[in-house]
Amino acid sequence: MFGHRKKHDVDSYSITGVLRPVEVPEEQQPVIRARQLQTVGRLTPIVGLANVINAAVVVMSFWNTPAARLLGIWSVTLLAATAVMLGANIASRNKHKKRDPRTPPSVIGTQKGIERYARFSSLLGMIWGVLPLLVMPFTDYNSQMTVSIIMAGMMFGGVILISRIPEAALSFLIPITIGYIVGLQLWQDPRNDYLSVLALVYAGVLWVTTKWSHRQFIEQHLSGLAIQQQAQLIGLLLRDFEESTSDWLWQTDANGTLVDIPMPTLGEKGSSFQAMAKGGDIGSLFLPTDTKNTLMRCLERKQGFRDLVLNVDNEDGAWWSLTGKPIYDTVGRFIGFRGVASDITQSKAIEDRIAYMAHYDPLTGLPNRACLHEQLEKIALTPVEEGNERALLWLDLDNFKWVNDTLGHPAGDELLCQVASRLNEHIGSAEIIARLGGDEFAILVEMHGRDALLDCIQNLSDRLNEPYEIWGSIVHCGASIGVRIVEQHSMDIDTLLKHADLALYQAKESGKRTWCVFTPELAEKAKARRGIELDLHRALENEELTLYFQPQMCAHTGRIVGCETLIRWNHPSRGLIGPNNFIQHAEDSGIITRLGDWALREALFAARRLPDDMGISVNISPLQIHSSSLVTTIVNALAVNQIDPSRLELEITESVLMSDTEFTLDRLNQLKDIGVRIALDDFGTGFSSLNYLRRFPFDKLKIDKSFVEDIDHNDDSRAITQATLELARALNMTCTAEGVETESQKQFLTEIGCDELQGFMISRPQPLEKLSHLFPVLTQQEADEALATKRASGDADTSVIQLQDAANRRHRRMG
Ligand code: C2E
Ligand code: CA
Ligand code: CA
């Protein structure tokens, strides 16, 4: 395109370029011809007038010469030709007026028009060309000069007037030039030779000029056409843009006043468009915001701007996106701004909603974890004010899961909302109160002095531990709080949160419903805990775990009726470790299910070495109840070792029943269906125990050793023990007392009718081999032989299929 253009430019300025015809697209040829005819047609009266005036001058100049008679004939001929020409012109004008302006000019019509004009021109040219032949022979040199002037004038005037049609100009020029030169040559004056040459030069100049002007005319026409087509295209595009989007164009003058857009008229639609109607000040359309300030700055500095999101000052509270740039006139003067606007109210609302959801908890309306992080990062940059103390609190509800499970999720939600409002009421001055998810919250507070800060935390803890009222029921749900005092303003946020979490863990460890401040020792402890977790995995692989057995004695007969299995860890470097040092970690890390399965298999394997009428008790942790492997493990271990299910007793604590009660009860019933016995361990240390006792038929109650310990010197403990015993009897359960260490304890318990006793007084937990003085213990080999005999004799009635069937019956109901 560029190359083409260049060639074109060069052509226009060289003689050869001027003479070469311009290429005109075929469909444009009649249009151009029509315009040529139109222009020349308008000039025709002048041409006619010029002819008449010139003819009059000639006749008057040479009336007294011998040529007068011939001149008479000549002028009549000229006038007649002129009259015919004018007549034809008037006729064609009338025809043109009647024509529908929208119909395109005809190819043949225009062609004929041009030809006709050329014929007329050549006729006139010939008439004028005859003049020198008539006049020159009868006049003197001076008069010949007059003829020359008239001829030159005719040549120039005529050609210029009809130059729009080069064919006509040429048809006129040729005969008139020939006539003039021949006329000059008829009179044998050497001076006339010069004039003849001059006439030829004139003719040449006129011819080139005509061609050049014609070329310019065609080029102008074509470029005008291109511009027109472009404008049409832009118009179409703009219309399409207006109709298909919610965008519109705007323009201001140099003062920022909205003006009409100089564009093909676009459909005016929507109130947004109306709001930008001309006359208004663009700045006054929007409510004051930071972005509006940016807009005003750009307008003032004559800078372009892009996608500014502005709040429109109208009752709908619309939002527009505005893009604009300064515009300048041809001489570079600033004349205003022009740009596009679009109504983004809807998408902005959606965007705002998404942003809100990404940063706020929909239930409580508090900032969420992501928001907390962002804000902490901001606040971490501002130093704590002199004398102030800042602390990050991590808060966790103690019984939330229980509320959710027993009262339902809507109640749980209600509880969370109440907690949120207590937090807001109590420390509304906090810099951040966020909900981290579930029943966890985080708070950043700043107080004047450490004492004020700790007082505030204590008060908050007290307030949160007060009972809640949810739809008429009183709910006790305390909170544990981990506190991290923020010392340096530039502390890493992740570390801060981790420390607060460790302090929270400590608060839970110290019995919940309390708060705890982070100390470096907590981090050390946590590290040790993590070490234990890793070690436990290894311990299971390396068979470092072992079971100890503690006998349970019938209080009436003194016979050993069963054993409780208690896990021990034979640590390669730390020696024998008791379960209190690792069971909690195993539960926290989830490895407890593997560990518990191992304990069950190991206990039932050992049970083979005990007399058939002796029971074996295994401790089950809350997480194990939810494990899908529990039932399968028990069924398989019972079958493999041919142990009668009634010999196996599972010891669970009340905490098992606190979470997801329905599921737990179903699972326990499923185990009972197999024939396994269930004992409630550590009875009296949990809470609301009676409720559970009614809902699930335990086989045994184990009175916690803390009561037994106090029997000798605490009346209350004796009363509680006795009451528990009566309760067990009323509910048809056996009762075992744990931690029996003294003769007097044994005596009291036997007297009040306790069924079984367990404690150091009878025996400490020991490896099985070391208990053979209390009951017969088979060697492994003897046990294996006994099992083989049992299988051979067909006595073996504990099959996997049978047990699984029993378990499945319940399972189907659970499903
Ligand atoms: P627990 O089920 O209440 O077990 C009884 C605890 O009391 C045992 O502690 C036992 O050694 C101790 N004990 C027994 N008689 C006396 C006594 O006369 N005086 C005193 N002071 N203590 C006595 P141990 O073996 O340290 O076990 C602690 C806890 O670890 C158990 O409490 C049980 O909850 C848990 N545990 C033990 N083995 C397992 C296991 O295989 N799985 C699970 N999940 N937990 C286990
Ligand atoms: Ca136990
Ligand atoms: Ca116990």
Side-chain angles (χ1 to χ4, degrees), residues 547 550 564-568 578-580 583 587 592 595-596 599 618-621 624 651 653 681-682 702 704-705 709 738-741 758-761 763 765:
L547 286 187
Q550 187 174 37
E564 177 178 359
T565 58
L566 294 159
I567 202 164
R568 297 289 180 268
N580 285 336
I583 288 290
E587 279 180 351
I592 189 72
L595 200 144
V618 180
N619 291 290
I620 301 289
S621 92
Q624 268 182 283
E651 294 191 4
T653 55
D681 205 358
D682 300 345
K702 294 187 81 175
D704 190 67
K705 57 179 174 288
E709 200 176 49
E738 283 188 302
V740 183
E741 293 183 354
Q758 183 184 344
F760 293 171
M761 209 213 118
S763 169

Coordinates of all heavy atoms in Angstrom, one line a residue, residues 547 550 564-568 578-580 583 587 592 595-596 599 618-621 624 651 653 681-682 702 704-705 709 738-741 758-761 763 765, ligand 1:
L547 N 2.9 -55.2 74.8 CA 1.7 -55.1 75.6 C 2.1 -55.6 77.0 O 2.7 -56.7 77.2 CB 0.6 -55.9 75.1 CG -0.2 -55.4 73.9 CD1 -1.4 -56.2 73.5 CD2 -0.6 -53.9 74.1
Q550 N -2.6 -56.3 83.0 CA -2.9 -56.1 84.5 C -4.1 -56.9 84.8 O -5.2 -56.8 84.2 CB -3.1 -54.6 84.8 CG -3.3 -54.4 86.3 CD -3.4 -53.0 86.6 OE1 -4.0 -52.2 85.9 NE2 -2.8 -52.6 87.8
E564 N -6.4 -56.5 81.7 CA -6.4 -55.3 80.8 C -5.1 -55.2 80.2 O -4.0 -55.3 80.8 CB -6.7 -54.1 81.6 CG -6.7 -52.8 80.7 CD -7.1 -51.5 81.4 OE1 -7.3 -51.5 82.6 OE2 -7.1 -50.5 80.7
T565 N -5.1 -55.0 78.9 CA -3.8 -54.9 78.1 C -3.4 -53.4 78.1 O -4.3 -52.5 77.8 CB -3.9 -55.4 76.7 OG1 -4.9 -54.6 76.0 CG2 -4.2 -56.8 76.6
L566 N -2.2 -53.1 78.5 CA -1.7 -51.7 78.5 C -0.4 -51.6 77.7 O 0.5 -52.3 77.9 CB -1.5 -51.3 80.0 CG -2.8 -51.2 80.8 CD1 -2.5 -51.3 82.3 CD2 -3.6 -50.0 80.5
I567 N -0.5 -50.7 76.8 CA 0.7 -50.6 75.8 C 1.9 -50.0 76.5 O 1.8 -49.1 77.3 CB 0.2 -49.8 74.6 CG1 1.0 -50.1 73.4 CG2 0.2 -48.3 74.9 CD1 0.4 -49.7 72.1
R568 N 3.1 -50.4 76.0 CA 4.3 -49.9 76.5 C 5.2 -49.7 75.2 O 5.1 -50.5 74.2 CB 5.1 -50.8 77.4 CG 4.3 -51.1 78.7 CD 4.4 -49.8 79.6 NE 3.7 -50.0 80.9 CZ 2.4 -49.7 81.1 NH1 1.6 -49.3 80.1 NH2 1.8 -49.9 82.2
G578 N 5.8 -45.1 79.1 CA 4.4 -45.4 79.4 C 3.5 -44.7 78.4 O 3.9 -43.7 77.7
P579 N 2.2 -45.2 78.2 CA 1.3 -44.7 77.2 C 0.9 -43.2 77.4 O 0.6 -42.5 76.5 CB 0.1 -45.5 77.3 CG 0.2 -46.2 78.6 CD 1.6 -46.3 78.9
N580 N 1.0 -42.7 78.7 CA 0.6 -41.3 78.9 C 1.5 -40.4 78.2 O 1.2 -39.2 77.9 CB 0.6 -41.0 80.4 CG -0.6 -41.6 81.1 OD1 -1.6 -41.8 80.4 ND2 -0.5 -41.9 82.4
I583 N 0.3 -41.6 73.8 CA -1.0 -41.9 73.2 C -1.6 -40.6 72.7 O -2.1 -40.6 71.5 CB -1.9 -42.6 74.2 CG1 -1.5 -44.0 74.5 CG2 -3.4 -42.5 73.8 CD1 -1.7 -45.0 73.4
E587 N -2.7 -39.9 68.9 CA -4.1 -39.4 68.5 C -4.0 -38.1 67.7 O -4.7 -38.0 66.7 CB -4.9 -39.2 69.8 CG -5.5 -40.5 70.3 CD -6.4 -40.3 71.6 OE1 -6.4 -39.2 72.1 OE2 -7.0 -41.3 72.0
I592 N -2.8 -43.2 65.7 CA -3.5 -44.1 66.7 C -4.3 -45.2 66.1 O -4.4 -46.3 66.7 CB -4.4 -43.2 67.6 CG1 -5.0 -44.0 68.8 CG2 -5.6 -42.6 66.8 CD1 -3.9 -44.2 69.8
L595 N -1.9 -47.9 65.4 CA -1.4 -48.4 66.7 C -2.5 -49.2 67.5 O -2.2 -50.3 68.0 CB -1.0 -47.1 67.6 CG -0.1 -47.3 68.7 CD1 0.8 -46.0 68.8 CD2 -0.9 -47.4 70.0
G596 N -3.7 -48.7 67.4 CA -4.8 -49.4 68.0 C -5.1 -50.8 67.4 O -5.4 -51.8 68.1
A599 N -2.6 -53.1 68.7 CA -2.8 -53.5 70.1 C -3.9 -54.6 70.1 O -3.8 -55.6 70.9 CB -3.2 -52.3 70.9
V618 N -9.2 -54.4 76.1 CA -8.4 -53.5 75.2 C -8.9 -52.1 75.3 O -10.1 -51.9 75.1 CB -8.3 -54.1 73.8 CG1 -7.4 -53.2 72.9 CG2 -7.9 -55.5 73.8
N619 N -8.0 -51.1 75.4 CA -8.4 -49.7 75.4 C -8.6 -49.2 74.0 O -7.7 -49.5 73.1 CB -7.3 -48.9 76.1 CG -7.3 -49.2 77.6 OD1 -8.2 -48.8 78.3 ND2 -6.3 -49.8 78.1
I620 N -9.7 -48.6 73.7 CA -9.9 -48.0 72.4 C -10.0 -46.5 72.5 O -10.8 -46.0 73.3 CB -11.3 -48.6 71.9 CG1 -11.3 -50.1 71.9 CG2 -11.7 -48.0 70.5 CD1 -10.4 -50.7 70.8
S621 N -9.3 -45.9 71.6 CA -9.3 -44.4 71.6 C -10.5 -43.9 70.7 O -10.9 -44.5 69.8 CB -8.0 -43.8 71.2 OG -8.0 -43.6 69.8
Q624 N -10.4 -44.3 67.0 CA -10.4 -45.7 66.5 C -11.9 -46.0 66.2 O -12.1 -46.8 65.2 CB -9.9 -46.6 67.5 CG -8.4 -46.9 67.4 CD -8.0 -47.9 68.4 OE1 -7.8 -47.5 69.6 NE2 -7.9 -49.2 68.1
E651 N -12.6 -51.1 76.1 CA -12.7 -50.1 77.1 C -12.7 -48.7 76.4 O -11.8 -48.4 75.7 CB -11.6 -50.1 78.1 CG -11.6 -51.3 79.0 CD -10.6 -51.3 80.2 OE1 -10.0 -50.2 80.4 OE2 -10.5 -52.3 80.9
T653 N -13.8 -44.4 76.7 CA -14.1 -43.4 77.7 C -15.3 -42.5 77.2 O -15.7 -42.6 76.0 CB -12.9 -42.4 77.8 OG1 -12.5 -41.9 76.5 CG2 -11.7 -43.1 78.4
D681 N -14.8 -46.8 80.6 CA -13.6 -46.6 81.4 C -13.6 -45.2 82.1 O -14.3 -44.3 81.7 CB -12.4 -46.6 80.4 CG -11.1 -47.0 81.1 OD1 -11.1 -47.2 82.3 OD2 -10.1 -47.1 80.4
D682 N -12.8 -45.1 83.2 CA -12.6 -43.8 83.9 C -13.9 -43.2 84.3 O -14.1 -41.9 84.2 CB -11.8 -42.8 83.0 CG -10.5 -43.3 82.6 OD1 -10.0 -44.3 83.2 OD2 -9.9 -42.8 81.6
K702 N -16.2 -48.9 84.9 CA -14.9 -48.9 85.6 C -14.8 -47.6 86.4 O -14.7 -46.5 85.8 CB -13.7 -49.1 84.7 CG -13.7 -50.4 83.9 CD -12.4 -50.6 83.1 CE -11.3 -51.1 84.0 NZ -10.1 -51.4 83.3
D704 N -13.2 -44.8 88.3 CA -11.8 -44.3 88.1 C -11.0 -44.3 89.3 O -11.5 -44.2 90.4 CB -11.9 -42.8 87.6 CG -10.6 -42.3 87.1 OD1 -10.1 -42.8 86.1 OD2 -10.0 -41.4 87.8
K705 N -9.7 -44.5 89.1 CA -8.8 -44.7 90.2 C -8.7 -43.4 91.1 O -8.4 -43.5 92.3 CB -7.4 -45.2 89.8 CG -6.7 -44.3 88.8 CD -5.3 -44.9 88.6 CE -4.5 -44.2 87.5 NZ -5.1 -44.4 86.1
E709 N -8.6 -43.9 95.1 CA -7.4 -43.4 95.8 C -7.9 -42.7 97.1 O -7.2 -42.7 98.1 CB -6.8 -42.4 94.8 CG -5.4 -42.0 95.1 CD -4.9 -41.0 94.0 OE1 -5.6 -40.0 93.7 OE2 -3.8 -41.3 93.5
E738 N -10.8 -49.4 89.7 CA -9.4 -49.4 89.3 C -8.5 -48.8 90.3 O -9.0 -48.0 91.2 CB -9.3 -48.4 88.1 CG -9.8 -49.0 86.8 CD -9.5 -48.0 85.6 OE1 -10.0 -46.9 85.6 OE2 -8.8 -48.5 84.7
G739 N -7.2 -49.0 90.2 CA -6.2 -48.4 91.1 C -6.3 -48.8 92.6 O -6.1 -48.0 93.5
V740 N -6.7 -50.1 92.8 CA -6.8 -50.6 94.2 C -5.4 -50.9 94.6 O -4.7 -51.7 94.1 CB -7.7 -51.8 94.3 CG1 -7.8 -52.3 95.7 CG2 -9.0 -51.6 93.6
E741 N -5.0 -50.1 95.7 CA -3.6 -50.2 96.1 C -3.4 -50.8 97.5 O -2.4 -51.4 97.9 CB -2.9 -48.9 96.0 CG -2.7 -48.4 94.6 CD -1.9 -47.1 94.4 OE1 -1.6 -46.5 95.5 OE2 -1.7 -46.7 93.3
Q758 N -9.1 -54.1 90.4 CA -7.9 -54.0 89.6 C -6.9 -53.0 90.2 O -7.4 -51.9 90.6 CB -8.3 -53.6 88.1 CG -7.1 -53.5 87.1 CD -7.6 -53.0 85.8 OE1 -8.8 -53.0 85.5 NE2 -6.6 -52.6 84.9
G759 N -5.7 -53.3 90.3 CA -4.8 -52.3 90.9 C -3.4 -52.9 91.3 O -3.3 -54.1 91.2
F760 N -2.5 -52.1 91.7 CA -1.2 -52.5 92.1 C -1.3 -53.6 93.2 O -0.4 -54.4 93.3 CB -0.3 -51.4 92.5 CG 0.0 -50.4 91.4 CD1 0.6 -49.2 91.7 CD2 -0.3 -50.7 90.1 CE1 1.0 -48.3 90.7 CE2 0.0 -49.8 89.1 CZ 0.6 -48.6 89.3
M761 N -2.3 -53.4 94.0 CA -2.4 -54.4 95.2 C -2.5 -55.8 94.7 O -2.0 -56.7 95.3 CB -3.7 -54.1 96.0 CG -3.5 -54.4 97.4 SD -5.1 -54.9 98.1 CE -4.8 -56.6 98.5
S763 N -1.9 -56.7 91.2 CA -0.6 -56.8 90.4 C -0.4 -55.6 89.6 O -1.4 -54.9 89.2 CB -0.7 -58.0 89.4 OG 0.4 -58.0 88.5
P765 N 0.9 -53.8 86.1 CA 0.9 -54.4 84.7 C 2.2 -55.0 84.4 O 3.3 -54.5 84.8 CB 0.7 -53.1 83.9 CG 0.2 -52.1 84.8 CD 0.7 -52.4 86.1
Ligands
C2E1 P1 -6.4 -46.6 81.8 O1 -7.1 -47.3 80.8 O2 -7.2 -45.9 82.9 O3 -5.4 -47.6 82.4 C1 -5.1 -47.8 83.7 C2 -3.9 -47.0 84.1 O4 -3.8 -47.1 85.6 C3 -2.6 -47.7 83.6 O5 -1.7 -46.8 83.3 C4 -2.2 -48.5 84.8 O6 -0.8 -48.8 84.8 C5 -2.6 -47.6 85.9 N1 -2.8 -48.3 87.2 C6 -3.3 -49.6 87.3 N2 -3.4 -49.9 88.7 C7 -2.9 -48.8 89.3 C8 -2.8 -48.5 90.7 O7 -3.1 -49.3 91.6 N3 -2.3 -47.3 91.0 C9 -2.0 -46.4 90.0 N4 -1.5 -45.2 90.4 N5 -2.1 -46.6 88.7 C10 -2.6 -47.8 88.4 P2 -0.9 -46.8 82.1 O8 -0.5 -48.2 81.7 O9 0.2 -45.8 82.2 O10 -1.9 -46.4 81.0 C11 -2.4 -45.1 80.9 C12 -3.5 -44.9 80.0 O11 -3.0 -45.1 78.7 C13 -4.6 -45.9 80.1 O12 -5.4 -45.5 81.2 C14 -5.2 -45.8 78.8 O13 -6.2 -44.8 78.8 C15 -4.1 -45.5 77.9 N6 -3.7 -46.8 77.2 C16 -2.9 -47.8 77.6 N7 -2.8 -48.7 76.6 C17 -3.5 -48.3 75.6 C18 -3.9 -48.9 74.3 O14 -3.4 -50.0 73.9 N8 -4.7 -48.1 73.5 C19 -5.2 -47.0 74.0 N9 -6.0 -46.3 73.2 N10 -4.9 -46.4 75.2 C20 -4.1 -47.1 76.0

